[in-house]
Amino acid sequence: MKFFIDTANLEEITEAKIWGCLAGVTTNPSLYAKTGGVLSDFESHMQKIAELCEGLPVSAETTATTIDGMVADGRRLAALAPNIVVKLPVCEAGLAACRILADEGIRVNMTLVFSATQALLAANAGARYISPFLGRCDDIALDGTSQLADVITCIKNCDWPDRNPDGEVEIIAASVRTANHVVQAALLGADIATVPMKVLKKCLHHPLTDAGIAAFEADWERVANA
Ligand code: G3P
């Protein structure tokens, strides 16, 4: 399973890149708002992320609510950089805009997916990536993991050779709130997990590792001073 980072924060993306395990970035309107960014800077900010992550897919979300608006937004976002992926919500307008953009060779990440039926419609409409949400299911006592399992099984049961520019669909486990979500997504066969920096750090750090590093350093200090 690949790791994307779920943030619009340039410092967090830079830090994750240094780790050498970053395969992409996902953003959304809330994550951009969290950076304190303003409307007039949105597209240049997405461009900075795309340049920082050259060659890696960077999802930038439209905020339009109509088919024409989503298509216009999507064309503009895709023109910012070759690695920009256009993020659309899974709804009637989102499906229609996805088909139009996919037929123009633009990669789409269909987001806010909460069911296997939504995922199947998104894949048929030309989504290159599908983002089922885990955490928001758990927030209302739904089992996000079982939804994710259904999405993965239904999508992976089929090939999608001619539905989107790359002829394949990858599933991005999103709304990841814990390291366990990451493990569950990998065990279920998600292609990607898009993870906030604070959860990435929880995935990395383990008290026994930290204690072991400290012990090695202390013992080596004794060797060095013997
Ligand atoms: O990529 C979707 C993600 O940003 C949503 O996460 O925690 O707002 O449900 P969350």
Side-chain angles (χ1 to χ4, degrees), residues 6 26 28 31 87 133 136 174-175 177 194:
D6 196 32
T26 53
N28 64 36
L31 291 172
K87 220 178 184 184
F133 279 31
R136 294 193 193 184
S175 187
R177 308 276 179 76
T194 192

Side-chain angles (χ1 to χ4, degrees), residues 37-91:
V38 296
L39 180 61
S40 56
D41 294 341
F42 171 65
E43 292 190 8
S44 60
H45 188 87
M46 289 299 117
Q47 232 162 359
K48 283 179 190 157
I49 296 176
E51 285 159 15
L52 184 58
C53 299
E54 189 182 357
L56 302 181
V58 173
S59 288
E61 189 158 345
T62 69
T63 49
T65 56
T66 64
I67 298 171
D68 291 347
M70 288 177 177
V71 170
D73 273 6
R75 286 171 178 154
R76 207 172 44 252
L77 289 170
L80 294 175
N83 54 326
I84 288 281
V85 174
V86 177
K87 220 178 184 184
L88 294 169
V90 60
C91 58

Side-chain angles (χ1 to χ4, degrees), residues 18 34 56 81 84 92 109 123 126-127 154 156 180 190 203 206 209:
I18 290 168
K34 206 170 156 188
L56 302 181
I84 288 281
E92 287 85 347
N109 176 0
C154 290
K156 296 303 178 185
N180 267 335
C203 290
H206 189 290
T209 304

